[in-house]
PDB file of all heavy atoms in Angstrom:
ATOM      1  N   ASN A   2      91.640 114.644 129.526  1.00 85.00           N
ATOM      2  CA  ASN A   2      92.318 115.451 130.542  1.00 85.00           C
ATOM      3  C   ASN A   2      92.182 116.922 130.184  1.00 85.00           C
ATOM      4  O   ASN A   2      91.576 117.279 129.166  1.00 85.00           O
ATOM      5  CB  ASN A   2      93.792 115.031 130.658  1.00 85.00           C
ATOM      6  CG  ASN A   2      94.531 115.184 129.351  1.00 85.00           C
ATOM      7  OD1 ASN A   2      94.832 116.289 128.907  1.00 85.00           O
ATOM      8  ND2 ASN A   2      94.822 114.058 128.696  1.00 85.00           N
ATOM      9  N   VAL A   3      92.733 117.811 130.993  1.00 84.00           N
ATOM     10  CA  VAL A   3      92.533 119.243 130.810  1.00 84.00           C
ATOM     11  C   VAL A   3      93.148 119.757 129.504  1.00 84.00           C
ATOM     12  O   VAL A   3      92.786 120.836 129.035  1.00 84.00           O
ATOM     13  CB  VAL A   3      93.120 120.037 132.001  1.00 84.00           C
ATOM     14  CG1 VAL A   3      92.347 119.735 133.267  1.00 84.00           C
ATOM     15  CG2 VAL A   3      94.607 119.735 132.189  1.00 84.00           C
ATOM     16  N   ASN A   4      94.068 119.003 128.908  1.00 84.00           N
ATOM     17  CA  ASN A   4      94.712 119.441 127.664  1.00 84.00           C
ATOM     18  C   ASN A   4      94.142 118.773 126.409  1.00 84.00           C
ATOM     19  O   ASN A   4      94.567 119.085 125.299  1.00 84.00           O
ATOM     20  CB  ASN A   4      96.221 119.157 127.734  1.00 84.00           C
ATOM     21  CG  ASN A   4      96.913 120.006 128.769  1.00 84.00           C
ATOM     22  OD1 ASN A   4      96.699 121.210 128.832  1.00 84.00           O
ATOM     23  ND2 ASN A   4      97.739 119.387 129.598  1.00 84.00           N
ATOM     24  N   THR A   5      93.178 117.862 126.586  1.00 85.00           N
ATOM     25  CA  THR A   5      92.645 117.125 125.445  1.00 85.00           C
ATOM     26  C   THR A   5      92.109 118.038 124.354  1.00 85.00           C
ATOM     27  O   THR A   5      92.385 117.848 123.157  1.00 85.00           O
ATOM     28  CB  THR A   5      91.530 116.161 125.900  1.00 85.00           C
ATOM     29  OG1 THR A   5      92.095 115.175 126.772  1.00 85.00           O
ATOM     30  CG2 THR A   5      90.881 115.468 124.704  1.00 85.00           C
ATOM     31  N   ALA A   6      91.348 119.053 124.757  1.00 83.00           N
ATOM     32  CA  ALA A   6      90.700 119.931 123.779  1.00 83.00           C
ATOM     33  C   ALA A   6      91.708 120.698 122.931  1.00 83.00           C
ATOM     34  O   ALA A   6      91.381 121.166 121.838  1.00 83.00           O
ATOM     35  CB  ALA A   6      89.766 120.911 124.489  1.00 83.00           C
ATOM     36  N   LYS A   7      92.934 120.824 123.403  1.00 84.00           N
ATOM     37  CA  LYS A   7      93.956 121.561 122.664  1.00 84.00           C
ATOM     38  C   LYS A   7      94.681 120.684 121.640  1.00 84.00           C
ATOM     39  O   LYS A   7      95.520 121.191 120.889  1.00 84.00           O
ATOM     40  CB  LYS A   7      94.998 122.122 123.633  1.00 84.00           C
ATOM     41  CG  LYS A   7      94.444 123.078 124.677  1.00 84.00           C
ATOM     42  CD  LYS A   7      95.560 123.515 125.614  1.00 84.00           C
ATOM     43  CE  LYS A   7      95.041 124.410 126.719  1.00 84.00           C
ATOM     44  NZ  LYS A   7      96.136 124.808 127.654  1.00 84.00           N
ATOM     45  N   LYS A   8      94.364 119.399 121.607  1.00 85.00           N
ATOM     46  CA  LYS A   8      95.149 118.472 120.794  1.00 85.00           C
ATOM     47  C   LYS A   8      94.301 117.719 119.768  1.00 85.00           C
ATOM     48  O   LYS A   8      94.712 116.680 119.268  1.00 85.00           O
ATOM     49  CB  LYS A   8      95.854 117.468 121.707  1.00 85.00           C
ATOM     50  CG  LYS A   8      96.798 118.125 122.708  1.00 85.00           C
ATOM     51  CD  LYS A   8      97.417 117.120 123.656  1.00 85.00           C
ATOM     52  CE  LYS A   8      98.348 117.791 124.653  1.00 85.00           C
ATOM     53  NZ  LYS A   8      98.949 116.825 125.599  1.00 85.00           N
ATOM     54  N   ILE A   9      93.128 118.252 119.456  1.00 87.00           N
ATOM     55  CA  ILE A   9      92.221 117.584 118.534  1.00 87.00           C
ATOM     56  C   ILE A   9      92.302 118.256 117.164  1.00 87.00           C
ATOM     57  O   ILE A   9      92.154 119.471 117.048  1.00 87.00           O
ATOM     58  CB  ILE A   9      90.767 117.645 119.061  1.00 87.00           C
ATOM     59  CG1 ILE A   9      90.681 116.915 120.410  1.00 87.00           C
ATOM     60  CG2 ILE A   9      89.808 117.019 118.056  1.00 87.00           C
ATOM     61  CD1 ILE A   9      89.344 117.059 121.095  1.00 87.00           C
ATOM     62  N   MET A  10      92.534 117.457 116.135  1.00 85.00           N
ATOM     63  CA  MET A  10      92.574 117.984 114.775  1.00 85.00           C
ATOM     64  C   MET A  10      91.155 118.087 114.232  1.00 85.00           C
ATOM     65  O   MET A  10      90.341 117.175 114.403  1.00 85.00           O
ATOM     66  CB  MET A  10      93.436 117.100 113.883  1.00 85.00           C
ATOM     67  CG  MET A  10      94.907 117.121 114.263  1.00 85.00           C
ATOM     68  SD  MET A  10      95.947 116.051 113.221  1.00 85.00           S
ATOM     69  CE  MET A  10      95.838 116.901 111.649  1.00 85.00           C
ATOM     70  N   LEU A  11      90.869 119.202 113.558  1.00 84.00           N
ATOM     71  CA  LEU A  11      89.520 119.500 113.108  1.00 84.00           C
ATOM     72  C   LEU A  11      89.468 119.788 111.615  1.00 84.00           C
ATOM     73  O   LEU A  11      90.420 120.287 111.026  1.00 84.00           O
ATOM     74  CB  LEU A  11      88.970 120.733 113.856  1.00 84.00           C
ATOM     75  CG  LEU A  11      88.928 120.685 115.384  1.00 84.00           C
ATOM     76  CD1 LEU A  11      88.576 122.061 115.937  1.00 84.00           C
ATOM     77  CD2 LEU A  11      87.926 119.653 115.860  1.00 84.00           C
ATOM     78  N   ASP A  12      88.319 119.486 111.019  1.00 88.00           N
ATOM     79  CA  ASP A  12      87.961 119.939 109.678  1.00 88.00           C
ATOM     80  C   ASP A  12      88.899 119.377 108.596  1.00 88.00           C
ATOM     81  O   ASP A  12      89.770 118.548 108.852  1.00 88.00           O
ATOM     82  CB  ASP A  12      87.906 121.463 109.632  1.00 88.00           C
ATOM     83  CG  ASP A  12      86.938 122.031 110.669  1.00 88.00           C
ATOM     84  OD1 ASP A  12      85.923 121.363 110.937  1.00 88.00           O
ATOM     85  OD2 ASP A  12      87.210 123.112 111.211  1.00 88.00           O
ATOM     86  N   VAL A  13      88.688 119.889 107.379  1.00 89.00           N
ATOM     87  CA  VAL A  13      89.365 119.340 106.207  1.00 89.00           C
ATOM     88  C   VAL A  13      90.770 119.897 106.015  1.00 89.00           C
ATOM     89  O   VAL A  13      91.704 119.173 105.696  1.00 89.00           O
ATOM     90  CB  VAL A  13      88.521 119.605 104.937  1.00 89.00           C
ATOM     91  CG1 VAL A  13      89.273 119.159 103.699  1.00 89.00           C
ATOM     92  CG2 VAL A  13      87.183 118.884 105.033  1.00 89.00           C
ATOM     93  N   GLY A  14      90.936 121.193 106.183  1.00 92.00           N
ATOM     94  CA  GLY A  14      92.228 121.810 105.931  1.00 92.00           C
ATOM     95  C   GLY A  14      92.422 122.133 104.458  1.00 92.00           C
ATOM     96  O   GLY A  14      91.478 122.109 103.666  1.00 92.00           O
ATOM     97  N   ALA A  15      93.657 122.445 104.081  1.00 95.00           N
ATOM     98  CA  ALA A  15      93.982 122.832 102.703  1.00 95.00           C
ATOM     99  C   ALA A  15      95.225 122.098 102.247  1.00 95.00           C
ATOM    100  O   ALA A  15      96.095 121.740 103.048  1.00 95.00           O
ATOM    101  CB  ALA A  15      94.201 124.345 102.613  1.00 95.00           C
ATOM    102  N   PHE A  16      95.307 121.897 100.936  1.00 97.00           N
ATOM    103  CA  PHE A  16      96.430 121.181 100.333  1.00 97.00           C
ATOM    104  C   PHE A  16      97.238 122.122  99.455  1.00 97.00           C
ATOM    105  O   PHE A  16      96.671 122.985  98.775  1.00 97.00           O
ATOM    106  CB  PHE A  16      95.915 119.993  99.514  1.00 97.00           C
ATOM    107  CG  PHE A  16      95.172 118.979 100.335  1.00 97.00           C
ATOM    108  CD1 PHE A  16      93.808 119.103 100.542  1.00 97.00           C
ATOM    109  CD2 PHE A  16      95.847 117.916 100.918  1.00 97.00           C
ATOM    110  CE1 PHE A  16      93.118 118.169 101.303  1.00 97.00           C
ATOM    111  CE2 PHE A  16      95.172 116.979 101.677  1.00 97.00           C
ATOM    112  CZ  PHE A  16      93.796 117.114 101.877  1.00 97.00           C
ATOM    113  N   PHE A  17      98.555 121.941  99.459  1.00 97.00           N
ATOM    114  CA  PHE A  17      99.463 122.848  98.770  1.00 97.00           C
ATOM    115  C   PHE A  17     100.436 122.061  97.887  1.00 97.00           C
ATOM    116  O   PHE A  17     100.720 120.887  98.143  1.00 97.00           O
ATOM    117  CB  PHE A  17     100.285 123.661  99.771  1.00 97.00           C
ATOM    118  CG  PHE A  17      99.480 124.634 100.588  1.00 97.00           C
ATOM    119  CD1 PHE A  17      98.721 124.204 101.668  1.00 97.00           C
ATOM    120  CD2 PHE A  17      99.476 125.990 100.274  1.00 97.00           C
ATOM    121  CE1 PHE A  17      97.981 125.097 102.425  1.00 97.00           C
ATOM    122  CE2 PHE A  17      98.744 126.888 101.018  1.00 97.00           C
ATOM    123  CZ  PHE A  17      97.985 126.440 102.103  1.00 97.00           C
ATOM    124  N   VAL A  18     100.939 122.729  96.868  1.00 97.00           N
ATOM    125  CA  VAL A  18     101.995 122.192  96.018  1.00 97.00           C
ATOM    126  C   VAL A  18     103.225 123.076  96.159  1.00 97.00           C
ATOM    127  O   VAL A  18     103.143 124.306  96.071  1.00 97.00           O
ATOM    128  CB  VAL A  18     101.553 122.136  94.540  1.00 97.00           C
ATOM    129  CG1 VAL A  18     102.745 121.863  93.637  1.00 97.00           C
ATOM    130  CG2 VAL A  18     100.500 121.070  94.339  1.00 97.00           C
ATOM    131  N   ASN A  19     104.371 122.446  96.395  1.00 97.00           N
ATOM    132  CA  ASN A  19     105.648 123.163  96.523  1.00 97.00           C
ATOM    133  C   ASN A  19     105.578 124.267  97.572  1.00 97.00           C
ATOM    134  O   ASN A  19     106.008 125.402  97.351  1.00 97.00           O
ATOM    135  CB  ASN A  19     106.075 123.730  95.170  1.00 97.00           C
ATOM    136  CG  ASN A  19     106.297 122.650  94.136  1.00 97.00           C
ATOM    137  OD1 ASN A  19     106.594 121.503  94.467  1.00 97.00           O
ATOM    138  ND2 ASN A  19     106.147 122.996  92.870  1.00 97.00           N
ATOM    139  N   ALA A  20     105.028 123.912  98.725  1.00 97.00           N
ATOM    140  CA  ALA A  20     104.890 124.881  99.813  1.00 97.00           C
ATOM    141  C   ALA A  20     106.224 125.126 100.502  1.00 97.00           C
ATOM    142  O   ALA A  20     107.062 124.232 100.595  1.00 97.00           O
ATOM    143  CB  ALA A  20     103.872 124.380 100.827  1.00 97.00           C
ATOM    144  N   ASP A  21     106.393 126.344 100.994  1.00 96.00           N
ATOM    145  CA  ASP A  21     107.518 126.682 101.869  1.00 96.00           C
ATOM    146  C   ASP A  21     106.924 126.856 103.263  1.00 96.00           C
ATOM    147  O   ASP A  21     106.472 127.942 103.623  1.00 96.00           O
ATOM    148  CB  ASP A  21     108.205 127.961 101.393  1.00 96.00           C
ATOM    149  CG  ASP A  21     109.414 128.330 102.241  1.00 96.00           C
ATOM    150  OD1 ASP A  21     109.654 127.669 103.278  1.00 96.00           O
ATOM    151  OD2 ASP A  21     110.119 129.294 101.892  1.00 96.00           O
ATOM    152  N   VAL A  22     106.890 125.774 104.028  1.00 95.00           N
ATOM    153  CA  VAL A  22     106.184 125.815 105.303  1.00 95.00           C
ATOM    154  C   VAL A  22     106.844 126.767 106.300  1.00 95.00           C
ATOM    155  O   VAL A  22     106.191 127.212 107.245  1.00 95.00           O
ATOM    156  CB  VAL A  22     106.061 124.401 105.911  1.00 95.00           C
ATOM    157  CG1 VAL A  22     105.228 123.514 105.011  1.00 95.00           C
ATOM    158  CG2 VAL A  22     107.427 123.782 106.169  1.00 95.00           C
ATOM    159  N   SER A  23     108.111 127.090 106.089  1.00 94.00           N
ATOM    160  CA  SER A  23     108.783 128.022 106.999  1.00 94.00           C
ATOM    161  C   SER A  23     108.188 129.425 106.922  1.00 94.00           C
ATOM    162  O   SER A  23     108.359 130.241 107.829  1.00 94.00           O
ATOM    163  CB  SER A  23     110.282 128.085 106.691  1.00 94.00           C
ATOM    164  OG  SER A  23     110.518 128.699 105.423  1.00 94.00           O
ATOM    165  N   GLN A  24     107.462 129.707 105.833  1.00 94.00           N
ATOM    166  CA  GLN A  24     106.860 131.030 105.651  1.00 94.00           C
ATOM    167  C   GLN A  24     105.457 131.135 106.228  1.00 94.00           C
ATOM    168  O   GLN A  24     104.876 132.216 106.267  1.00 94.00           O
ATOM    169  CB  GLN A  24     106.822 131.378 104.158  1.00 94.00           C
ATOM    170  CG  GLN A  24     108.178 131.467 103.505  1.00 94.00           C
ATOM    171  CD  GLN A  24     109.048 132.526 104.163  1.00 94.00           C
ATOM    172  OE1 GLN A  24     108.655 133.680 104.327  1.00 94.00           O
ATOM    173  NE2 GLN A  24     110.257 132.112 104.560  1.00 94.00           N
ATOM    174  N   GLY A  25     104.897 130.014 106.667  1.00 93.00           N
ATOM    175  CA  GLY A  25     103.571 130.044 107.267  1.00 93.00           C
ATOM    176  C   GLY A  25     102.451 129.899 106.253  1.00 93.00           C
ATOM    177  O   GLY A  25     102.657 129.935 105.036  1.00 93.00           O
TER     178      GLY A  25
END
């Protein structure tokens, strides 16, 4: 549908230890 392209997860990403996700 018209929104499909906005909802696809891509690539590997990054991993964190003891992250504060509220800070971005």
